[in-house]
Amino acid sequence: MKLWRGPLRAVLALVLLLPPLLPPASAVEPISLGLAIAGAAASALTGFISYPRLYCYFRECCLQKHDQRVAAALQENLDKKLFGQHLVSKVIVKAVKGFLNNTNAKKPLALSLHGWTGTGKNFVSKIVAESIYKRGLQSKYVHQFVATLHFPHAHSINLYKDQLQSWIRGNVSICPRSLFIFDEMDKMHAGLIDSIKPFLDYYELLDGVSYRQAIFIFLSNAGAEKITEVALDFWRNGRTREDIQLSDIQNALSMSVFNNKNSGFWHSTLIDKNLIDYFVPFLPLEYKHVKMCIRVEIKSRGYAVDEDILTRIADEMTYFPREEGIYSDKGCKTVDAKLDYYYDF
């Protein structure tokens, strides 16, 4: 509220000074006096309202939050709401913070999130959006594409390419810090995503537009098998999941996705030309992580945690591999529905 003090004091001073400067009250119509005061106030406030930070207080602006605030909000939300994903928390915070602090980025930030359903990919993209823009996924500067919804027909792929390029070009022209989220990359028609390759490349300008401040996030189930393979190998060798480093999995993950014929990244130039900055692995969630999800969801609904119900819900989940039963096959995705059954909300 400190921002208000100087301008408001100026307006107040003008209002207080007006009566002595005006003719006697009898010579001034009441409506004229009111208009004079209002006019003086409006005149004093005009420059104030045009001040960018104040304008953005009332209206959503491109890159609404300062970079330091983005990183702090991102770290806090991931720490409180994301479970069992130490690699994700570390990579996402460092990547986003470093990119936003870089005043001379050579290319847009491109993050590809991979893992089984329910491990937190959509949740993390939501947190990133909320950290940058107050309205999060509802922001006019955040754009979501769902493969099966927006690009359903293989025979229309050329049309989709043109539409996608036009959409990205138009929105980055309006807001250089636009955020684009591509969901269900594993269901996208191969070759379609390559149409955005120029926007992710190291160009200073394309037709007068710079894309270097934009952020692209891709979500996919492709590569989940490779991630599980690494996690299981660590577990069977008596090592914890926290021992897994990004270097243990990132190269194998990128190759797995690149060679997956059922992935929108199959033989993609985005991977071949090293335009994806980070392949972020979401590890399969264990029983203890499922219980964490349930606990947080119960509290978020304003109910006291019933440990018996919490355990029953976690026990009802199915786990794999069949022999060891370590990982939840749906992650935390069905927690909401199960809570609705047990609690009379």
Side-chain angles (χ1 to χ4, degrees):
M1 296 306 294
K2 290 180 180 179
L3 290 173
W4 287 82
R5 291 177 184 170
L8 286 183
R9 284 175 181 166
V11 173
L12 183 58
L14 282 171
V15 172
L16 293 176
L17 286 171
L18 277 172
L21 297 175
L22 292 170
S26 59
V28 180
E29 301 256 352
I31 189 169
S32 300
L33 178 61
L35 287 172
I37 293 173
S43 177
L45 282 172
T46 299
F48 180 51
I49 293 296
S50 65
Y51 189 62
R53 290 185 64 183
L54 177 65
Y55 177 83
C56 296
Y57 182 83
F58 293 104
R59 299 280 304 269
E60 184 180 45
C61 293
C62 180
L63 189 57
Q64 192 161 17
K65 298 180 183 177
H66 294 295
D67 297 347
Q68 293 85 350
R69 291 176 58 195
V70 171
L74 186 57
Q75 184 72 69
E76 181 181 4
N77 282 322
L78 290 175
D79 289 344
K80 288 182 178 179
K81 303 173 183 178
L82 185 68
F83 307 114
Q85 304 294 359
H86 67 288
L87 291 176
V88 175
S89 296
K90 182 178 180 180
V91 174
I92 293 293
V93 171
K94 284 192 172 184
V96 174
K97 179 181 179 180
F99 181 70
L100 295 180
N101 286 334
N102 186 353
T103 58
N104 190 31
K106 302 301 182 186
K107 65 178 292 296
L109 177 63
L111 305 171
S112 195
L113 316 185
H114 298 266
W116 295 116
T117 297
T119 52
K121 300 184 300 296
N122 279 285
F123 185 63
V124 166
S125 65
K126 176 175 179 287
I127 289 178
V128 171
E130 291 172 346
S131 299
I132 299 175
Y133 292 111
K134 186 182 298 184
R135 298 186 64 217
L137 295 178
Q138 303 303 314
S139 170
K140 60 184 177 181
Y141 305 122
V142 177
H143 314 281
Q144 286 182 288
F145 301 94
V146 180
T148 54
L149 175 64
H150 295 106
F151 317 113
H153 308 298
H155 60 78
S156 299
I157 189 169
N158 289 328
L159 173 63
Y160 297 150
K161 287 181 179 181
D162 292 339
Q163 291 176 335
L164 192 53
Q165 288 182 342
S166 296
W167 184 258
I168 292 175
R169 185 184 303 111
N171 282 288
V172 173
S173 297
I174 295 171
C175 176
R177 189 70 86 193
S178 291
L179 170 59
F180 300 95
I181 301 171
F182 293 84
D183 197 3
E184 297 184 346
M185 281 299 302
D186 49 301
K187 297 179 177 66
M188 183 177 284
H189 303 297
L192 173 56
I193 202 62
D194 287 348
S195 65
I196 72 169
K197 185 258 183 188
F199 306 135
L200 269 68
D201 216 328
Y202 292 81
Y203 295 113
E204 184 173 354
L205 292 173
L206 284 174
D207 295 328
V209 180
S210 173
Y211 297 86
R212 292 181 170 185
Q213 294 185 61
I215 299 175
F216 293 81
I217 300 179
F218 306 96
L219 315 179
S220 177
N221 288 355
E225 297 89 350
K226 179 59 66 175
I227 296 170
T228 300
E229 181 183 315
V230 173
L232 270 175
D233 184 61
F234 270 70
W235 185 84
R236 287 167 176 164
N237 284 286
R239 303 173 68 184
T240 68
R241 65 194 287 123
E242 287 73 25
D243 291 330
I244 301 174
Q245 301 299 313
L246 189 62
S247 57
D248 294 321
I249 194 170
Q250 185 167 235
N251 289 337
L253 175 59
S254 65
M255 290 305 298
S256 173
V257 173
F258 182 75
N259 291 314
N260 188 335
K261 291 185 177 181
N262 297 317
S263 168
F265 277 130
W266 182 61
H267 288 186
S268 171
T269 57
L270 301 190
I271 298 177
D272 189 44
K273 299 300 182 181
N274 299 308
L275 297 178
I276 303 296
D277 298 297
Y278 295 95
F279 287 87
V280 186
F282 282 68
L283 301 176
L285 298 181
E286 299 175 11
Y287 179 82
K288 63 182 179 182
H289 303 126
V290 172
K291 294 187 75 172
M292 291 177 184
C293 291
I294 299 169
R295 186 181 302 278
V296 166
E297 183 59 28
I298 292 174
K299 289 181 177 179
S300 72
R301 297 189 183 192
Y303 282 75
V305 177
D306 184 318
E307 295 294 337
D308 180 58
I309 291 179
L310 189 154
T311 300
R312 266 191 282 168
I313 292 174
D315 288 345
E316 286 180 3
M317 300 286 198
T318 53
Y319 297 85
F320 72 97
R322 181 176 298 178
E323 298 78 16
E324 294 95 338
I326 308 168
Y327 306 120
S328 169
D329 64 356
K330 294 179 181 177
C332 288
K333 191 164 188 176
T334 59
V335 165
D336 281 353
K338 290 186 178 295
L339 280 177
D340 291 339
Y341 176 81
Y342 277 101
Y343 280 82
D344 183 21
F345 292 113

